[in-house]
Amino acid sequence: MRLRLIVNPIASRVNTRARVPITSALAAAHELEVVETGQRGDATKFAREAAAVGIDVVVVLAGDGTLNEAACGLIGSSTALATLPGGSTNVFGRALGISHNPIEAAAQLLHALAARSFTRIGVGAARLPDGSDRWFLFHLGIGFDAAVVKEM
């Protein structure tokens, strides 16, 4: 399978000790391409590009924010999305039963890919005042919650 690994190098749990064995394991079993985010919106762009060139799976080694960006880039495509925990909480991955240890999560991913075990999940959308849609996987903060996150 063709994989694109999107890495947020400044995510709280992304480090060389985890990244090297993950990329080595993925590359040993699949055709792997690695890209790093540098600014907001990069994960959406990288995921959209991956879908356009027929990448089978976009794997995100980052937190929930980068994962959501990548998901937004895949809306409407047949490219699958996988998550490896690189953030401090990784709520989405935990909800799916994915290990909080990135190396163990990579082993789970490799097992799922070998079994061709894919599960389609729904996404939500919120209509923004400008008429555009904001897509989300599991949680949307509005009002006070959104104001707090914006300040963080």
Side-chain angles (χ1 to χ4, degrees):
M1 260 184 237
R2 293 176 61 203
L3 311 180
R4 174 174 280 182
L5 176 62
I6 298 175
V7 179
N8 179 347
I10 62 167
S12 60
R13 299 188 53 185
V14 174
N15 57 50
T16 304
R17 210 173 63 226
R19 189 174 168 171
V20 169
I22 288 169
T23 56
S24 296
L26 293 176
H30 301 279
E31 184 181 329
L32 179 67
E33 160 186 321
V34 180
V35 293
E36 286 188 359
T37 61
Q39 61 188 5
R40 182 179 217 133
D42 279 354
T44 301
K45 178 181 76 172
F46 294 150
R48 189 173 292 127
E49 290 169 353
V53 299
I55 299 278
D56 300 301
V57 182
V58 167
V59 181
V60 178
L61 175 58
D64 289 318
T66 305
L67 178 67
N68 188 72
E69 277 192 20
C72 289
L74 296 177
I75 298 291
S77 79
S78 61
T79 299
L81 176 66
T83 182
L84 298 176
S88 58
T89 309
N90 305 290
V91 176
F92 185 73
R94 285 181 183 222
L96 295 177
I98 296 169
S99 174
H100 196 56
N101 177 302
I103 296 170
E104 291 174 12
Q108 288 176 304
L109 172 60
L110 286 167
H111 179 74
L113 293 173
R116 299 188 85 58
S117 175
F118 295 87
T119 301
R120 185 174 296 274
I121 61 166
V123 296
R127 179 70 34 97
L128 301 178
D130 67 3
S132 65
D133 289 326
R134 170 72 177 168
W135 298 97
F136 59 95
L137 294 173
F138 63 94
H139 181 268
L140 174 68
I142 60 173
F144 179 74
D145 182 55
V148 169
V149 171
K150 183 178 181 181
E151 288 301 314
M152 292 174 49

